[in-house]
Amino acid sequence: MIVWLNGTFGAGKTTTARLLVRELPQARIFDTEHVGFMLGHVLTEPVENFQDNPPWRALVVRSAVEILDHVGGTLVIPQTVLTESYAREIFDGLDAEGVKTHHIVLHVDREELLRRIEGDQEEAGAKQWRLDHVARYEQALPWLRESGTVVDTTRLTPAEAAARVLGGL
């Protein structure tokens, strides 16, 4: 099984993922950004985002399947995907491989999101990049709401958000 935590940067995906792996049997985090980093030295054509490289999407599916075949359990993937066709490609690929995937969208209201981004000391260097993606997230919200289960984290503690996710699995 895969629990895919989607949502904007600052919604609590990484924190929620860490809490989920403590509660789910044989769960581990699979950070698919590392697949993008791996491809960075091979695919040298400029792209705005590593997700724009078709091999990233295919390798995420293949890697997840191989990992699950090897270790079993649950993969928790905290990865923002704001392009609907990319998400569909990944989720359809996982489905074709027989992997049950729960697409969870962690949402946070704009005002709280901006407060979190501005106050984040751990990833302060990514502040502007995160701010630049708020509008893209808001544009993606209609399809995200249709595709996934929305958990509004605006007024939740990380533990409460994780409990809501767990309750919906």
Side-chain angles (χ1 to χ4, degrees):
M1 172 174 75
I2 290 176
V3 178
W4 191 291
L5 298 176
N6 203 347
T8 192
F9 309 97
K13 294 180 304 297
T14 301
T15 302
T16 302
R18 289 182 189 132
L19 293 170
L20 289 176
V21 298
R22 292 183 194 163
E23 299 297 325
L24 292 167
Q26 295 181 309
R28 59 192 72 220
I29 294 174
F30 175 34
D31 187 345
T32 60
E33 283 191 16
H34 292 287
V35 176
F37 300 151
M38 176 195 68
L39 290 172
H41 76 281
V42 177
L43 304 177
T44 57
E45 298 78 14
V47 292
E48 180 183 337
N49 184 319
F50 59 77
Q51 294 180 8
D52 295 332
N53 284 315
W56 177 79
R57 301 185 299 276
L59 284 170
V60 163
V61 171
R62 193 75 248 138
S63 298
V65 168
E66 292 296 326
I67 292 166
L68 286 171
D69 283 350
H70 184 69
V71 299
T74 299
L75 291 182
V76 179
I77 301 177
Q79 179 67 61
T80 299
V81 179
L82 299 180
T83 302
E84 183 177 11
S85 62
Y86 296 176
R88 190 59 24 232
E89 184 178 340
I90 293 166
F91 298 149
D92 287 350
L94 292 167
D95 186 55
E97 293 283 347
V99 177
K100 180 159 182 60
T101 303
H102 296 275
H103 180 206
I104 310 296
V105 179
L106 299 183
H107 173 74
V108 61
D109 290 346
R110 188 185 217 336
E111 184 178 315
E112 174 63 11
L113 173 63
L114 296 176
R115 187 194 69 71
R116 289 181 191 182
I117 292 171
E118 291 292 341
D120 188 351
Q121 299 303 313
E122 285 186 40
E123 296 191 48
K127 182 188 305 187
Q128 191 56 53
W129 192 85
R130 288 174 166 197
L131 290 170
D132 291 345
H133 284 80
V134 170
R136 277 198 67 212
Y137 169 72
E138 290 171 338
Q139 290 169 347
L141 262 175
W143 77 261
L144 286 169
R145 285 187 170 122
E146 287 181 20
S147 172
T149 300
V150 177
V151 174
D152 190 331
T153 67
T154 302
R155 290 172 183 78
L156 298 179
T157 66
E160 291 169 332
R164 293 240 177 121
V165 170
L166 286 167
L169 298 180

